[in-house]
mmCIF file with all atom_site columns, all heavy atoms in Angstrom:
data_model
loop_
_atom_site.group_PDB
_atom_site.id
_atom_site.type_symbol
_atom_site.label_atom_id
_atom_site.label_alt_id
_atom_site.label_comp_id
_atom_site.label_asym_id
_atom_site.label_entity_id
_atom_site.label_seq_id
_atom_site.pdbx_PDB_ins_code
_atom_site.Cartn_x
_atom_site.Cartn_y
_atom_site.Cartn_z
_atom_site.occupancy
_atom_site.B_iso_or_equiv
_atom_site.pdbx_formal_charge
_atom_site.auth_seq_id
_atom_site.auth_comp_id
_atom_site.auth_asym_id
_atom_site.auth_atom_id
_atom_site.pdbx_PDB_model_num
ATOM 1  N N   . VAL A 1 60  ? -25.836 -7.560  -11.193 1.00 98.00 ? 1230 VAL A N   1
ATOM 2  C CA  . VAL A 1 60  ? -25.726 -8.303  -9.936  1.00 98.00 ? 1230 VAL A CA  1
ATOM 3  C C   . VAL A 1 60  ? -25.119 -9.656  -10.289 1.00 98.00 ? 1230 VAL A C   1
ATOM 4  O O   . VAL A 1 60  ? -25.721 -10.432 -11.065 1.00 98.00 ? 1230 VAL A O   1
ATOM 5  C CB  . VAL A 1 60  ? -27.101 -8.472  -9.252  1.00 98.00 ? 1230 VAL A CB  1
ATOM 6  C CG1 . VAL A 1 60  ? -26.953 -9.170  -7.906  1.00 98.00 ? 1230 VAL A CG1 1
ATOM 7  C CG2 . VAL A 1 60  ? -27.775 -7.110  -9.058  1.00 98.00 ? 1230 VAL A CG2 1
ATOM 8  N N   . GLN A 1 96  ? -11.348 19.794  13.230  1.00 96.00 ? 1266 GLN A N   1
ATOM 9  C CA  . GLN A 1 96  ? -11.134 20.263  14.604  1.00 96.00 ? 1266 GLN A CA  1
ATOM 10 C C   . GLN A 1 96  ? -9.906  19.635  15.251  1.00 96.00 ? 1266 GLN A C   1
ATOM 11 O O   . GLN A 1 96  ? -9.507  20.041  16.341  1.00 96.00 ? 1266 GLN A O   1
ATOM 12 C CB  . GLN A 1 96  ? -12.348 19.920  15.480  1.00 96.00 ? 1266 GLN A CB  1
ATOM 13 C CG  . GLN A 1 96  ? -13.645 20.533  14.997  1.00 96.00 ? 1266 GLN A CG  1
ATOM 14 C CD  . GLN A 1 96  ? -14.832 19.963  15.762  1.00 96.00 ? 1266 GLN A CD  1
ATOM 15 O OE1 . GLN A 1 96  ? -14.676 19.180  16.697  1.00 96.00 ? 1266 GLN A OE1 1
ATOM 16 N NE2 . GLN A 1 96  ? -16.025 20.357  15.359  1.00 96.00 ? 1266 GLN A NE2 1
ATOM 17 N N   . GLY A 1 145 ? -10.835 7.277   -9.873  1.00 98.00 ? 1315 GLY A N   1
ATOM 18 C CA  . GLY A 1 145 ? -9.741  8.221   -9.653  1.00 98.00 ? 1315 GLY A CA  1
ATOM 19 C C   . GLY A 1 145 ? -8.587  7.535   -8.953  1.00 98.00 ? 1315 GLY A C   1
ATOM 20 O O   . GLY A 1 145 ? -8.560  6.307   -8.824  1.00 98.00 ? 1315 GLY A O   1
ATOM 21 N N   . HIS A 1 183 ? -25.796 13.338  -5.813  1.00 98.00 ? 1353 HIS A N   1
ATOM 22 C CA  . HIS A 1 183 ? -26.149 12.370  -4.767  1.00 98.00 ? 1353 HIS A CA  1
ATOM 23 C C   . HIS A 1 183 ? -26.257 10.946  -5.310  1.00 98.00 ? 1353 HIS A C   1
ATOM 24 O O   . HIS A 1 183 ? -26.800 10.071  -4.641  1.00 98.00 ? 1353 HIS A O   1
ATOM 25 C CB  . HIS A 1 183 ? -27.422 12.794  -4.041  1.00 98.00 ? 1353 HIS A CB  1
ATOM 26 C CG  . HIS A 1 183 ? -27.235 14.010  -3.192  1.00 98.00 ? 1353 HIS A CG  1
ATOM 27 N ND1 . HIS A 1 183 ? -26.407 14.040  -2.087  1.00 98.00 ? 1353 HIS A ND1 1
ATOM 28 C CD2 . HIS A 1 183 ? -27.741 15.267  -3.311  1.00 98.00 ? 1353 HIS A CD2 1
ATOM 29 C CE1 . HIS A 1 183 ? -26.420 15.258  -1.556  1.00 98.00 ? 1353 HIS A CE1 1
ATOM 30 N NE2 . HIS A 1 183 ? -27.217 16.023  -2.283  1.00 98.00 ? 1353 HIS A NE2 1
ATOM 31 N N   . ARG A 1 257 ? -21.641 34.329  17.110  1.00 98.00 ? 1427 ARG A N   1
ATOM 32 C CA  . ARG A 1 257 ? -23.077 34.603  17.272  1.00 98.00 ? 1427 ARG A CA  1
ATOM 33 C C   . ARG A 1 257 ? -23.336 35.799  18.167  1.00 98.00 ? 1427 ARG A C   1
ATOM 34 O O   . ARG A 1 257 ? -22.657 35.974  19.188  1.00 98.00 ? 1427 ARG A O   1
ATOM 35 C CB  . ARG A 1 257 ? -23.777 33.378  17.870  1.00 98.00 ? 1427 ARG A CB  1
ATOM 36 C CG  . ARG A 1 257 ? -23.451 32.070  17.201  1.00 98.00 ? 1427 ARG A CG  1
ATOM 37 C CD  . ARG A 1 257 ? -23.754 32.019  15.743  1.00 98.00 ? 1427 ARG A CD  1
ATOM 38 N NE  . ARG A 1 257 ? -25.152 32.284  15.405  1.00 98.00 ? 1427 ARG A NE  1
ATOM 39 C CZ  . ARG A 1 257 ? -25.644 32.168  14.172  1.00 98.00 ? 1427 ARG A CZ  1
ATOM 40 N NH1 . ARG A 1 257 ? -24.857 31.781  13.171  1.00 98.00 ? 1427 ARG A NH1 1
ATOM 41 N NH2 . ARG A 1 257 ? -26.906 32.438  13.935  1.00 98.00 ? 1427 ARG A NH2 1
ATOM 42 N N   . VAL A 1 260 ? -29.575 38.643  21.652  1.00 98.00 ? 1430 VAL A N   1
ATOM 43 C CA  . VAL A 1 260 ? -30.106 39.657  22.567  1.00 98.00 ? 1430 VAL A CA  1
ATOM 44 C C   . VAL A 1 260 ? -30.516 38.976  23.872  1.00 98.00 ? 1430 VAL A C   1
ATOM 45 O O   . VAL A 1 260 ? -31.114 37.891  23.858  1.00 98.00 ? 1430 VAL A O   1
ATOM 46 C CB  . VAL A 1 260 ? -31.313 40.383  21.922  1.00 98.00 ? 1430 VAL A CB  1
ATOM 47 C CG1 . VAL A 1 260 ? -31.906 41.418  22.896  1.00 98.00 ? 1430 VAL A CG1 1
ATOM 48 C CG2 . VAL A 1 260 ? -30.883 41.064  20.624  1.00 98.00 ? 1430 VAL A CG2 1
ATOM 49 N N   . GLY A 1 327 ? -26.259 3.501   26.001  1.00 98.00 ? 1497 GLY A N   1
ATOM 50 C CA  . GLY A 1 327 ? -25.348 4.051   27.014  1.00 98.00 ? 1497 GLY A CA  1
ATOM 51 C C   . GLY A 1 327 ? -24.167 4.809   26.427  1.00 98.00 ? 1497 GLY A C   1
ATOM 52 O O   . GLY A 1 327 ? -23.300 5.266   27.172  1.00 98.00 ? 1497 GLY A O   1
#
Side-chain angles (χ1 to χ4, degrees):
V1230 184
Q1266 300 170 4
H1353 291 295
R1427 312 302 302 186
V1430 178

